[in-house]
Amino acid sequence: MKEYIQNLLTDIVSGLKNEKLLPENTQIRIMVENTKDKAHGDYASNIAMMLARPMQKKPQEIALLLTSRIPLNDRISRVEIAGPGFINFFASKEFLENQVNSLLKDPLLGVKPARTPETVVIDYSSPNVAKEMAVHHIRSTVIGDAVARILEFLGNRVIRANHIGDWGTQFGMLIACLEKKEQEHASSLELADLEAFYREAKKHYDEDPEFAEKARGYVVKLQSGDEYCRSMWQKLVKITMDQNQDIYRRLNISLSEKDVMGESLYNPMLKPLVDDLINRGLAREDQGAIVVYLNTFKDKEGNPRGVIVRKSDGGYLYTTTDIACAKYRWEHFGAKRIIVFADSRQHEHLLMAWDIARMAGYLPDDVLTEHGSFGMMLGKDGKPFKTRTGGTVKLKELLDEAENRARELMSDRNDGLSPEEKNSVVHAVAMGAVKYADLSKNRTTDYIFDWDNMLTFDGNTAPYLQYAYSRIRSIFRKTSAVPGAIKITAPEEENLLLKFIKFSEVVNGAAEKAMPHLLCAYLYELAGLFMKFYESCPVLKSDVPEDVRQSRLAIAECAARILKTGLGLLGIETLERM
Ligand code: ARG
């Protein structure tokens, strides 16, 4: 509909040019917006204001001229001029009915797939080996996964890349520590506490010179491909990733073992890459280190900023890896868009790595690189999220707590569910709540993690949407009537239909901006409109005429399907009963 109006206005504007009412060279962007409430129509445009200067007329006058040329047809039932010259469009009821009737027959629910499907690499989750996944990894994991699902739904080829931190000099001490633990016959449970393991390795390294010596030797051996060190290293990666994979399973994250493309993958590419930069004069030596100077970043004196790609001891850096990584994603996968979900502190780092990759011709100009930046997760006190005693919160414990709280939330519901059903409800509500709390905020800002705001049936929460869904499904269990053709009989129905046909635009917008909160806001509004509809438009009451009942059942079905699909795109489960 929006596009239709846009095209209509484009035609009218070129007509004005032909008639010399508007200078031929006028450039304007024709904007059509969704309105907030029906009083302003269903769509509105400020085009008359935009034309005021080039046409040297009052906006209202122009609006009058434009509206006289807008055909009222089976799509647009009415146009109005409002305020300083806004043009408000009202969609016709027949149009809405037809659109939604055919939307119900479409497995994509009217969502238009990407015009040209693209290969998109999404770098997300990316925890570090021998470290517990921390709360900032939950943001990357949850947001990245939703964006991966959304882009895939639109027909793109999505490559999930779990860029784990599985390389670096710390592996010497970690291997030495693992060896020690194995000699002491440590249980697998003991090894599973990664935070403690890392701390222990560090302690030995700092306090025991013999251990440190051995650790340094192992670094060298690991890097030269020594079999023993490699197998020890692999054990560490496996212990960590098995735990993370459990978390992914619990949170319904679509990452699998085969998506792991950690830093170690790029390690063999680093030497040739830096040699190439040197040979082509793009990098040069400075006090033993190899440095690339970037014109796109300036230092304090306004000179090109130097980025070290090889340290004077021969070691490579996080940035070097990300340059190789960008190159690989283009060469190996043919990526047209690369999105890295990492917290905002990594912004400069990523931009510099990509600038170097482009400057060196490793990444063509038409490949989009985006930092899916996000803010920090804060506690209720506005400080970085910590446990009561000030320690870092372990993700596993956080999810356990979510389940306990969800069980409490659901405990006073007498719904005749079996204990197994109840468990799956608790699980879905808990995981949904944690994920949705994160997804529903604009990711670029910090966000306050607050149990009371996420585990409630009031407001923009997962439990509210899950409940709305299961409430609709319960209607269908109470009747043998089936959905039929939609016919609008009340304004509440019309509002809901208008919302349905915007699903496509919202999914595409969320994909383009890599921002799932746009979809969350839409689903929340849709659920609200459904509740209003359900309050004022009876479905099952005996005095409702059969064709109206069938129409309302179709409306209910459409709401349920969009909620289920939309929540599914966010990686959140829906329940038939709860
Ligand atoms: N492992 C990093 C961290 O824990 C995130 C990696 C992000 N991706 C990248 N290509 N640099 O912060």
Side-chain angles (χ1 to χ4, degrees), residues 104 476 480-486 549-557:
L104 273 166
F476 288 91
S480 56
V482 288
I486 295 175
R549 185 188 332 281
Q550 290 184 353
S551 163
R552 289 182 179 166
L553 280 172
I555 295 175
E557 180 181 287

Side-chain angles (χ1 to χ4, degrees), residues 123 126-128 136-137 163-165 263 318 322 325 329 340-343 346 349-350:
D123 176 326
S126 310
N128 300 317
H136 74 266
H137 293 115
H163 191 88
I164 63 170
E263 292 177 20
Y318 188 48
D322 267 318
C325 171
R329 286 171 178 174
V340 175
F341 287 97
D343 70 69
Q346 302 203 21
H349 153 76
L350 288 168

Side-chain angles (χ1 to χ4, degrees), residues 163 167-168 223 262-278 283 290 309-311 314-328 362:
H163 191 88
W167 204 249
Q223 292 192 331
E263 292 177 20
S264 64
L265 171 69
Y266 307 102
N267 183 57
M269 307 170 195
L270 303 183
K271 186 182 179 323
L273 184 139
V274 172
D275 288 347
D276 182 54
L277 291 174
I278 298 171
I290 302 299
V309 290
R310 186 162 77 209
K311 293 188 284 184
Y316 298 99
L317 298 104
Y318 188 48
T319 308
T320 327
T321 306
D322 267 318
I323 301 168
C325 171
K327 180 172 186 280
Y328 178 81
Y362 301 150

Side-chain angles (χ1 to χ4, degrees), residues 192-340:
D193 188 346
L194 297 170
E195 287 304 320
F197 179 81
Y198 197 97
R199 247 181 287 127
E200 187 178 333
K202 183 90 175 70
K203 191 166 166 2
H204 292 313
Y205 187 82
D206 290 341
E207 292 170 7
D208 176 354
E210 214 175 293
F211 179 96
E213 188 56 41
K214 191 187 242 173
R216 277 190 288 272
Y218 282 164
V219 177
V220 179
K221 279 182 147 185
L222 177 65
Q223 292 192 331
S224 59
D226 172 81
E227 222 169 279
Y228 169 74
C229 284
R230 248 193 119 75
S231 80
M232 292 297 269
W233 167 75
Q234 263 157 1
K235 275 189 205 169
L236 289 164
V237 175
K238 186 166 172 4
I239 295 170
T240 312
M241 291 317 288
D242 282 353
Q243 283 190 25
N244 291 336
Q245 211 49 59
D246 276 343
I247 291 196
Y248 296 151
R249 213 167 298 125
R250 245 179 120 176
L251 271 172
N252 186 25
I253 297 298
S254 62
L255 279 170
S256 74
E257 282 88 357
K258 69 164 194 2
D259 301 318
V260 171
M261 291 173 227
E263 292 177 20
S264 64
L265 171 69
Y266 307 102
N267 183 57
M269 307 170 195
L270 303 183
K271 186 182 179 323
L273 184 139
V274 172
D275 288 347
D276 182 54
L277 291 174
I278 298 171
N279 292 339
R280 290 164 56 212
L282 298 169
R284 59 183 145 90
E285 205 219 282
D286 189 344
Q287 299 167 51
I290 302 299
V291 184
V292 177
Y293 289 90
L294 275 179
N295 287 320
T296 42
F297 285 83
K298 302 275 182 228
D299 66 12
K300 284 190 207 85
E301 282 86 50
N303 301 316
R305 175 107 158 247
V307 182
I308 301 178
V309 290
R310 186 162 77 209
K311 293 188 284 184
S312 54
D313 67 4
Y316 298 99
L317 298 104
Y318 188 48
T319 308
T320 327
T321 306
D322 267 318
I323 301 168
C325 171
K327 180 172 186 280
Y328 178 81
R329 286 171 178 174
W330 153 246
E331 285 176 355
H332 187 79
F333 295 115
K336 277 281 169 196
R337 183 177 179 192
I338 298 168
I339 317 175
V340 175

Side-chain angles (χ1 to χ4, degrees), residues 7 10 21 57 83 89 102 116 175 250 286 300 335 433 446 448 466 478 563 568:
N7 292 338
T10 309
L21 293 170
K57 278 193 172 49
F89 298 82
S102 55
T116 37
I175 291 171
R250 245 179 120 176
D286 189 344
K300 284 190 207 85
D446 289 348
I448 306 224
Q466 288 168 319
K478 290 185 200 130
L563 279 174

